[in-house]
Amino acid sequence: SLTVSSTKLIECSTNSFSPESLRLVDGAGLCSGRVEVKSNQSWASVCKADFDQQDAEVVCVEFGCGTPAALQGGLYGEGEGQTWDKEFQCRGKESLLLDCDTSDRENNTCLPGNAVGLTCSEPDDVRLVGGGSRCAGGVEWYDQGEWWTVGADDWDQRDIAAVVCRQLGCGSTVSVLPGNTTNGIRVFCSGSESSLRECRRMYDLRPELTVICSDLLVQPDIFLTDPMGGVFRGHQGPEMFRGYNFTITCSTQPQYPGGSFHLTFTGSNRTQTQPAVNHSAAFLFPAADDSHQGNYRCVYDNYVFSHNFSSESELLSLTITGN
């Protein structure tokens, strides 16, 4: 399992080598920090000149993270101790950094600002299934080559749900629904972790967990059409000739049936509403004039899982010009 010694110091203990051979320091979570290795019973920073993309790939795999997203000297500050005296020569296929070949460094100095900092992407090891959205459904965790159902006792369910919604970028928890008892992974979280990998776990029989997160609905699309050919693309967005009619269409992916679209217009703070038919709604504007100039936005509302959800499109800025 992964042992979290503090919010800023992550050590790996899942592998066969000493759990104190490699660590990421001063990062924001399990998958980022300054790379340090154990040398003569003390920690040593690795110099950027001795560490490349293939070395980074091995470290990210070793910590169970995704691919390297950032590799830079001084990204997570300077180490207080010595500098690692070897240059890593990984091929990118090793499972442990200390399995890589090394060579002696050409010089023993590492200029300030060159202690290598690494950020790995978060792995796709948690998902919500069966809810019609990536932000709703039964919690599953990918471990040991397969997807496992996640379960928890009643007093742990809200904390686990908060971590899942946070890890998936799905906002906050709306509801937690326990299901049937099943054989899977029992998880223990405090609720403040950035991912389930920071929580304790064991394989056990517990009620499966269904989580509904606030960002349930995908972002709707907004676009403008004109059957008379009165619109053209300007420097700041679409521009419409006066006197021409135009249509603003709101649409969304077919997640759930029903719902409604609200077209908000900042120019006069007025809102038009239509039901979603085939997951879209068209708002017709005859004879464009200066009162139609401004910013439009589609807001999609739907009542799902006994709660109201809403999602907003990007802004559409319309300019009225000419005759």
Side-chain angles (χ1 to χ4, degrees), residues 217-221 264 297-300 310-315:
L217 303 177
V218 299
Q219 185 179 42
D221 294 318
T264 64
R297 189 191 299 274
C298 293
V299 180
Y300 178 57
S310 181
S311 183
E312 297 184 346
S313 72
E314 296 180 350
L315 278 176

Side-chain angles (χ1 to χ4, degrees), residues 144-168:
Q144 299 181 12
E146 62 181 298
W147 288 99
W148 296 77
T149 299
V150 171
D153 293 312
D154 292 344
W155 52 87
D156 289 324
Q157 292 175 358
R158 298 294 299 188
D159 291 335
I160 295 171
V163 176
V164 169
C165 292
R166 183 181 303 118
Q167 179 175 351
L168 293 176

